[in-house]
Amino acid sequence: MAEHVITPAEYRYYVADLLTNNVLAEIGFTSVSYERALSKSGSFTGTIPVIDSTSHLNLYENTMPGKTALYVLRDGVCVWGGIIWGRQYSPANKTLQVDGSEFTSYLYHRFVWQTLYYGSESYYCKQYKADGSTATVYTDVSHGFSVGETVRIRSLNPAINGDHTITSTPSLASFTFATAATLALSPSTTGLARTIVDTYDMVRDLLGYLKEDFSNLEFVNDEIKPSDDLEYSISNKQMTAGLATLTTTVPHDLISGQQIEMVDVDNLIDGYQIITATPASDTFTVDVGGSSNIASTVLDGISTYNITSATIETTSLIITTKAISNNIVTLTTSATHGLSVGDYISISNVENTISVSKVGTTGVSGAKTIVVPNNTDIIVGMMAFGTGIGSSATVQSISGTTITLGIANSGTVSGTVSFAYQAIINGSYYVNSVPTTTTFTYAKSSPDVAAVSISKADEVTSFSITNSGSTAYLYNSNKNPTLYLIRGNTYTFNISAVGHNFWIQTTSGGYSSGNVYSSGVTGNGTANGSITFTVPSNAPSTLYYQSQQDSVMSGRLTIYSYGQISYKSCILTTSTPHGISAGKSFIVSDVGADYDGTFTVSSVPNSTSLKYNSLSLLNRATEAVYGGTLKWGPRAVAGTYGAYSGNSDTDIQVSEDLSGKYIGVSQQIFRGSDMRSFGDILEEFSKDLNGFEYRIDCDFQSGSFIRTFSFVPFVDPPSKIAVTNKALTSNVGTITTESAHGLSVGDEIVITNVGLYFDGTREILSTPTTTTFTFSSYASNVSSTACSGYIGIVHPLSVLGADQFVFEYPGNVLQFNLTENAENSATRMWVVGAADELDNTASAPYAASTSTDLLDLGWPLIDQVDSKTDNVTVAYGESALYSYARDFAGEARPPEGNFSITINGSIGPYVGDFLPGDWCSIIIDDEFVRMRLASDLEPRGDIIVRKIIGYKVSVPDSPSFPESVTLELISEWKEDRRLSTLRTTG
């Protein structure tokens, strides 16, 4: 037994302001007890006498619940830190009982009110290639990945499947990463790619939002924004060396540290800002940075105008040209479009098929290559069509004039080969940019398209018209057919119908000189000659052609727009001139759900009307408005919800530079409307094998207290490997394992159930083969003998760190209890897996393992069940479940034993030396405990190893008495079993 030295401890207690961490007072507590805990918060309770000698401590203010931090120092070392959450005053005893919880408790008092996204959904990969240094993957749609993110590739190609760091994003639908593989450009229908997030980085980011209260994080849209916003009219602005002072028209209730949005005040000031000071009830300052100055300037503030009418209409324009480059579509309209960035638009009737033909193409039957005269406008992914080209052939790669296809030629290739692909342009989008008044862009994953005019493939633009006596006009032998014309295009009608003048007009039923349509028409009314018709953009949907002489000689001209943009706009009218201009922000109230909100002016038709983009599905006729208002002008906008960064920073630091653990779900989304606390979210990480446990530690350095969020990574369970042979020669033992042991010289390993002179913790001397290793054992020789047993049932003490904290009885252990219970034990262990979409003829996979040696000794059947639903187990089915069941059965042999120990805190290791999450060794000199160690219920025959998951310290009021420290412990096999049943997602 080790010699222990009793060292009475000196305890001191300090209270500090929770936000500033400035010490308020040192307070002498009595009847103190405190707890430390892992992944949750330990408590504190202590009593203060409320008497004359403590009146100077200002106890009422300095123990204010919810506002005060409390620190416990033991011999100058901070052993506990937390927040005072409650207190109870006893007038009879003149005492104040103070209750607190560790700083971890604060995480449960703060909520994630902004929607956060981590990682991405999965995107299909349509092509890939690698040149020995860089792999390029093409997704079917825009992926949104960024350089430096980790991307996980699955089911694409074994050479590049796995996790990679993105090195570039050549386009919105492609990305690259480093690889040593060399792969030809190949198509894929199964590959998936998504970005994943390092768990530690995610938590560091979350704690950053906790600290800043989501300052400078904009809402994706107004639909996920909480209510409500308050507007403060700005009447004056001034800035000196980047520090802006703003004056409001009425007193405000803004505070320092609050985030606001400045609107229409000044280009140097507009945007999200943090208030740095509030010098008066109607002024505040923001630091915009830089050294710019603005002289004191009077502003008009917010102006309010009454709305008298409102309407929602559709604007439609003809698209004249299209182009796609790097997944950005650029369209040109026939007239000024009036769009702004962010407007919602619909594109329709744009030809999607882009084709190019190559005359004189050659190719050999059965080969996958063809030779074209030139490769202009041919790109990877195009479909190929022509004589000798195989069905569904696509371009895989291009090398000069040699084109490699995905399938072999079905015959000799000759003549003209056409190449085509779909450039999907139609749909609804948000405007990305507005380069000119007649061009705009939006994002869309698509092959590149050179700038081309919008036209319909195989469109007829010339009509040869004859007559069939006096009964009908003829076109392609059809009598009075309907002809289809596209707005913006020019058509020629070649008339050969002497005596039957051909007129284009707005009515049918006979010629009418008053209804002749002349816009864009040249030569109207000819009977023998040409008529040219350039269809105006505002042409009606229906016109007619009509013989002047015979009413029955008549037909329909159907007019439509090919290549069209349309969007909804709200138009408001005010009772007086509003003075607003395009691009300005304004607020509409009390008009109706389709109109109300904050918007940007698209255009100003006149001094009492304005137009802005609408997401409404329906048009609305002009209607009178009563009580509706429009407001605009220089203003500060503050949410009633925050952000309040000046009151959110509790100075919790994250110092450890850990990485490499990835939560495997497709995407982590924390929705603001779910109102989940940071504590609840962090708890989830302790339930995932790729997560961690945690605590918030406190330190005292140079007269200041420091709070640090500490990650406690899981220790991977040991790898148990069966032993097949043993030998001992000249004090050197040799073990042969059933499979590769993976050990190196100097490693430690625990050998179990192999026999005397072999069992125990051993240091590796050599590894002659992948399945043999040697170690020192000073004992008689043992000839080479087949045997059973294992290595790696448990970790060596040094791996766990359990050799650093040793507790002994008698010694520093004041009291111990051993509780053995079979309630949660098993002689037969079941493990259930998972399967989707079960019907009444199937079941989820499940398996069992039975301890038959216990049954043979007379133990009854005792069933327990556990579950394994991770991807690996599901993939390997019931054989994997049996493997888990066999291991769990060995860990659940009855009776399970729980050790509870109380140590003398005045004998080392001291409180503060060990922390929740550390492992310890327990040596107990007791016959009953030795009997347990001698059985197979403890994996080690000489020592008890447990993980400390928490402890409670009772501090004596007199230093002559030792502290009592009760440890909360978990066994190795329970920890390993717990890890085995955590979520493991991929």
Side-chain angles (χ1 to χ4, degrees):
M1 183 178 71
E3 183 176 341
H4 299 286
V5 177
I6 298 176
T7 306
E10 178 190 37
Y11 272 89
R12 301 178 73 173
Y13 309 92
Y14 292 88
V15 288
D17 183 274
L18 180 58
L19 290 176
T20 66
N21 213 15
N22 292 331
V23 173
L24 301 174
E26 180 180 358
I27 296 177
F29 281 94
T30 61
S31 303
V32 170
S33 67
Y34 62 89
E35 299 173 332
R36 293 292 320 265
L38 190 62
S39 303
K40 54 184 180 181
S41 55
S43 64
F44 171 94
T45 184
T47 301
I48 312 167
V50 184
I51 55 180
D52 289 343
S53 61
T54 60
S55 60
H56 68 287
L57 296 175
N58 193 14
L59 293 178
Y60 189 83
E61 291 297 330
N62 288 342
T63 62
M64 184 64 69
K67 190 174 182 287
T68 310
L70 173 64
Y71 297 99
V72 179
L73 266 62
R74 182 189 186 280
D75 290 339
V77 175
C78 190
V79 293
W80 191 93
I83 302 170
I84 295 175
W85 288 111
R87 60 188 179 187
Q88 182 177 354
Y89 174 65
S90 171
N93 298 324
K94 294 293 182 181
T95 56
L96 182 67
Q97 179 179 308
V98 172
D99 299 309
S101 295
E102 290 184 273
F103 284 112
T104 310
S105 63
Y106 184 67
L107 303 176
Y108 293 88
H109 291 270
R110 290 286 303 281
F111 291 84
V112 174
W113 54 269
Q114 266 273 34
T115 298
L116 302 175
Y117 301 88
Y118 293 98
S120 73
E121 58 185 307
S122 293
Y123 297 95
Y124 279 102
C125 305
K126 63 180 183 180
Q127 294 182 107
Y128 64 92
K129 64 180 180 180
D131 61 8
S133 62
T134 301
T136 304
V137 177
Y138 302 87
T139 54
D140 64 336
V141 296
S142 177
H143 51 63
F145 299 165
S146 299
V147 173
E149 290 185 317
T150 300
V151 64
R152 177 166 290 172
I153 308 294
R154 298 176 65 185
S155 305
L156 188 60
N157 185 295
I160 56 175
N161 287 342
D163 296 346
H164 307 278
T165 300
I166 296 174
T167 53
S168 71
T169 53
S171 72
L172 295 177
S174 64
F175 61 91
T176 68
F177 53 86
T179 182
T182 300
L183 302 168
L185 183 67
S186 304
S188 172
T189 58
T190 60
L192 293 171
R194 60 181 172 85
T195 55
I196 57 176
V197 180
D198 184 291
T199 312
Y200 299 115
D201 287 342
M202 190 191 311
V203 171
R204 281 187 276 264
D205 197 55
L206 283 170
L207 292 176
Y209 287 125
L210 173 83
K211 179 177 181 178
E212 299 172 358
D213 196 33
F214 299 97
S215 290
N216 300 314
L217 182 64
E218 298 185 29
F219 290 96
V220 177
N221 55 61
D222 286 342
E223 298 300 318
I224 63 171
K225 188 176 182 179
S227 181
D228 199 8
D229 284 339
L230 302 176
E231 285 93 22
Y232 300 89
S233 180
I234 304 299
S235 60
N236 190 280
K237 64 181 177 182
Q238 182 178 354
M239 187 160 70
T240 303
L243 183 66
T245 300
L246 292 309
T247 303
T248 56
T249 56
V250 297
H252 60 70
D253 56 358
L254 303 172
I255 63 173
S256 179
Q258 183 175 357
Q259 176 180 272
I260 56 173
E261 183 182 10
M262 303 303 299
V263 181
D264 291 339
V265 175
D266 190 281
N267 289 336
L268 295 174
I269 301 174
D270 286 348
Y272 286 98
Q273 305 289 351
I274 302 295
I275 295 175
T276 55
T278 54
S281 62
D282 63 347
T283 61
F284 63 90
T285 64
V286 296
D287 189 352
V288 301
S291 58
S292 298
N293 299 311
I294 299 175
S296 178
T297 306
V298 176
L299 303 175
D300 293 335
I302 297 176
S303 299
T304 302
Y305 302 88
N306 294 323
I307 298 172
T308 59
S309 68
T311 185
I312 298 177
E313 66 178 20
T314 300
T315 298
S316 297
L317 294 169
I318 293 173
I319 301 170
T320 58
T321 63
K322 62 184 176 183
I324 306 176
S325 177
N326 290 328
N327 296 302
I328 296 295
V329 179
T330 301
L331 299 181
T332 304
T333 55
S334 58
T336 300
H337 50 60
L339 295 171
S340 300
V341 173
D343 283 353
Y344 190 67
I345 58 171
S346 294
I347 308 298
S348 59
N349 294 329
V350 176
E351 180 66 53
N352 291 333
T353 300
I354 307 300
S355 61
V356 58
S357 297
K358 299 297 180 181
V359 180
T361 300
T362 60
V364 177
S365 178
K368 287 188 176 182
T369 58
I370 56 175
V371 177
V372 294
N374 60 75
N375 64 16
T376 304
D377 295 331
I378 301 176
I379 66 171
V380 171
M382 278 184 155
M383 297 286 291
F385 309 91
T387 302
I389 299 295
S391 176
S392 300
T394 58
V395 176
Q396 302 297 301
S397 64
I398 303 169
S399 178
T401 58
T402 299
I403 309 298
T404 301
L405 304 177
I407 62 173
N409 299 326
S410 60
T412 300
V413 179
S414 61
T416 299
V417 172
S418 296
F419 301 88
Y421 58 80
Q422 293 291 311
I424 307 299
I425 293 177
N426 297 330
S428 296
Y429 309 95
Y430 288 96
V431 174
N432 187 53
S433 69
V434 183
T436 71
T437 59
T438 57
T439 59
F440 63 93
T441 71
Y442 59 88
K444 178 65 180 178
S445 178
S446 171
D448 285 356
V449 176
V452 294
S453 297
I454 299 293
S455 62
K456 186 176 185 299
D458 303 321
E459 182 194 4
V460 175
T461 57
S462 180
F463 303 95
S464 295
I465 306 295
T466 61
N467 65 298
S468 175
S470 298
T471 61
Y473 284 117
L474 295 178
Y475 171 65
N476 284 347
S477 300
N478 295 312
K479 294 181 178 182
N480 296 333
T482 296
L483 303 179
Y484 295 89
L485 310 181
I486 297 173
R487 293 182 180 90
N489 286 1
T490 299
Y491 300 88
T492 300
F493 297 86
N494 297 306
I495 310 299
S496 180
V498 176
H500 302 281
N501 298 75
F502 187 97
W503 290 94
I504 296 174
Q505 60 183 43
T506 59
T507 60
S508 62
Y511 169 70
S512 172
S513 59
N515 293 313
V516 169
Y517 188 82
S518 58
S519 298
V521 181
T522 302
N524 209 357
T526 187
N528 189 24
S530 296
I531 299 173
T532 301
F533 184 15
T534 300
V535 183
S537 61
N538 62 350
S541 298
T542 304
L543 292 172
Y544 301 90
Y545 57 88
Q546 176 67 56
S547 168
Q548 181 176 338
Q549 290 78 18
D550 300 285
S551 61
V552 295
M553 296 178 68
S554 178
R556 181 189 299 268
L557 298 174
T558 295
I559 313 295
Y560 66 101
S561 294
Y562 192 82
Q564 177 176 281
I565 169 183
S566 61
Y567 58 90
K568 302 285 187 185
S569 295
C570 295
I571 301 175
L572 303 180
T573 302
T574 56
S575 59
T576 57
H578 49 63
I580 198 170
S581 57
K584 291 291 186 180
S585 170
F586 66 98
I587 305 158
V588 178
S589 304
D590 301 324
V591 177
D594 286 335
Y595 298 93
D596 290 354
T598 301
F599 307 97
T600 300
V601 177
S602 297
S603 62
V604 181
N606 57 58
S607 64
T608 58
S609 66
L610 59 83
K611 194 173 185 180
Y612 59 96
N613 190 250
S614 171
L615 294 178
S616 174
L617 298 176
L618 301 174
N619 287 343
R620 290 187 177 274
T622 301
E623 55 187 346
V625 174
Y626 303 95
T629 59
L630 178 152
K631 294 190 294 185
W632 76 280
R635 60 194 183 273
V637 182
T640 57
Y641 44 84
Y644 297 103
S645 60
N647 297 77
S648 62
D649 184 5
T650 53
D651 197 27
I652 298 174
Q653 303 177 18
V654 186
S655 60
E656 285 121 291
D657 185 23
L658 297 177
S659 61
K661 292 280 191 178
Y662 297 95
I663 295 292
V665 295
S666 60
Q667 189 176 37
Q668 286 277 357
I669 302 176
F670 305 115
R671 301 191 186 280
S673 59
D674 289 344
M675 285 285 104
R676 296 182 65 194
S677 73
F678 286 88
D680 289 332
I681 291 172
L682 287 175
E683 272 191 38
E684 290 298 310
F685 293 122
S686 66
K687 298 175 183 177
D688 195 296
L689 191 59
N690 285 329
F692 53 84
E693 294 178 300
Y694 54 91
R695 60 179 186 260
I696 295 180
D697 297 325
C698 297
D699 197 6
F700 183 65
Q701 296 179 5
S702 303
S704 300
F705 291 99
I706 300 171
R707 310 158 183 170
T708 304
F709 184 95
S710 299
F711 295 105
V712 182
F714 294 124
V715 177
D716 292 333
S719 299
K720 184 173 72 172
I721 302 174
V723 173
T724 60
N725 195 277
K726 63 182 178 182
L728 180 58
T729 305
S730 300
N731 299 319
V732 175
T734 302
I735 289 290
T736 303
T737 55
E738 187 176 58
S739 58
H741 50 65
L743 297 171
S744 301
V745 174
D747 287 349
E748 287 189 329
I749 191 68
V750 177
I751 303 172
T752 308
N753 295 332
V754 172
L756 188 64
Y757 311 139
F758 294 90
D759 289 351
T761 301
R762 305 293 182 175
E763 181 177 339
I764 307 302
L765 290 179
S766 67
T767 55
T769 71
T770 59
T771 57
T772 59
F773 64 88
T774 66
F775 57 92
S776 296
S777 178
Y778 297 96
S780 302
N781 289 348
V782 175
S783 59
S784 180
T785 307
C787 66
S788 59
Y790 295 93
I791 65 169
I793 287 182
V794 291
H795 283 299
L797 298 184
S798 59
V799 171
L800 299 173
D803 55 339
Q804 301 298 308
F805 308 112
V806 180
F807 302 107
E808 297 183 72
Y809 179 85
N812 54 359
V813 175
L814 295 173
Q815 179 181 330
F816 80 89
N817 288 296
L818 169 59
T819 302
E820 293 184 312
N821 193 302
E823 283 280 358
N824 297 314
S825 299
T827 56
R828 181 171 59 190
M829 192 74 192
W830 299 87
V831 178
V832 179
D836 296 329
E837 301 178 358
L838 295 177
D839 58 24
N840 57 6
T841 64
S843 73
Y846 63 123
S849 177
T850 306
S851 300
T852 54
D853 61 324
L854 293 177
L855 300 185
D856 192 48
L857 292 173
W859 281 87
L861 276 173
I862 304 173
D863 285 333
Q864 287 288 342
V865 64
D866 229 318
S867 62
K868 281 289 290 180
T869 58
D870 61 275
N871 290 347
V872 174
T873 310
V874 171
Y876 288 97
E878 292 187 343
S879 62
L881 292 175
Y882 169 71
S883 176
Y884 282 111
R886 182 183 58 197
D887 289 344
F888 290 175
E891 296 160 359
R893 292 169 70 86
E896 292 192 46
N898 293 311
F899 282 89
S900 172
I901 69 169
T902 300
I903 65 171
N904 186 334
S906 299
I907 301 178
Y910 303 108
V911 175
D913 293 341
F914 53 87
L915 296 168
D918 289 336
W919 290 82
C920 67
S921 299
I922 304 170
I923 302 172
I924 296 178
D925 184 9
D926 181 270
E927 186 59 32
F928 191 84
V929 173
R930 280 193 289 272
M931 285 190 286
R932 178 176 175 85
L933 289 170
S935 71
D936 60 359
L937 296 176
E938 291 284 335
R940 306 169 193 270
D942 57 347
I943 198 168
I944 301 159
V945 174
R946 295 292 189 267
K947 180 181 179 180
I948 303 170
I949 59 174
Y951 54 81
K952 179 178 181 179
V953 181
S954 297
V955 181
D957 291 338
S958 171
S960 60
F961 292 94
E963 304 149 275
S964 173
V965 184
T966 301
L967 303 182
E968 185 179 356
L969 306 168
I970 186 172
S971 63
E972 291 176 85
W973 60 93
K974 283 188 176 180
E975 173 77 351
D976 294 342
R977 182 173 165 191
R978 184 172 72 94
L979 294 180
S980 296
T981 55
L982 291 181
R983 291 193 309 259
T984 52
T985 47

